[in-house]
Amino acid sequence: MPTETATWALRDRIAVPTGTIAVDVLGEDRPGTPVVLTHGTPSWSYLWRHVAPALAHERPVYLWDLPTYGDSTGHTPSVAGHAQTLAALVGHWGLDAPVLVGHDIGAATVLRAHLVHGTPASALVLADAAVLAPWVTATAAHMQQHLDVYGSMPNAAFTALIAAHLRTTSATGLDGDAERAYLGRYAGPEGQRRYLDQVAGFTEDDTRDVVARLSEIAIPTDVVWGAQDRWLPSTAATTLRGHIPGARLHTVDGAGHFLTEDAPEAFLDVLAAVLP
């Protein structure tokens, strides 16, 4: 089980049209409603290391790395492609109505899989969701406009740049192990290209039709937000909640955009209160 934070890795691989996807399941034999955890950017399933093992005491917990993130391979990553991947995985796993939990663009992935691809779910949990425009941050937009410049930047300078940006995800400060775990996926020239390919794939075209269909959601939905999120303002949480019939909003004090880094226990408390 990938429960040691220093050696976190997903054990299995599934080939789908969008890539070879790193996956794992914890608590497979537990009786509770299954949960599928979908991370966002610039992260990977490591984001859930303080959450997944605790949830797995009562229910099966399915984990995966988005195409080109973590230990998954793929090409031309995008929210549209991630949603296609999630739909394929839920079908592969044979899940009838799991709870779909998504963070950042993972929330957009969950919504698109459910609303566009018809992926079944019994409930949705949307954390610091990159769904409502504008969700492409100013930093990412600048990179998109100057991909050639960032691609030719000396790797040491590029690494320092994205490290500084990564630190803004936390209200309390990422510890050294966590920072290395995230940055390690973008190490060297190959990692630099991977990071820029991911940024190049960000487009609000992939969420525009999703936003137009939010009123169609007919299952329990909870919006969870770090009160100190510096990437996506808390006003976006309120607006998103308002678009979804019956949605509930939970604000986590002392947490930034990576709320599972800053306040994993508080996030688990929210999940304990809302999971069927």
Side-chain angles (χ1 to χ4, degrees), residues 182-206:
Y182 291 119
L183 289 177
R185 299 296 161 162
Y186 302 110
E190 182 180 344
Q192 183 170 347
R193 175 46 50 195
R194 181 181 304 115
Y195 189 99
L196 292 173
D197 285 348
Q198 292 168 1
V199 169
F202 299 158
T203 172
E204 288 159 5
D205 290 342
D206 288 348

Side-chain angles (χ1 to χ4, degrees), residues 58-73:
E58 297 182 352
R59 64 189 70 244
V61 179
Y62 291 81
L63 296 147
W64 63 297
D65 291 332
L66 301 179
T68 78
Y69 290 76
D71 291 320
S72 292
T73 64

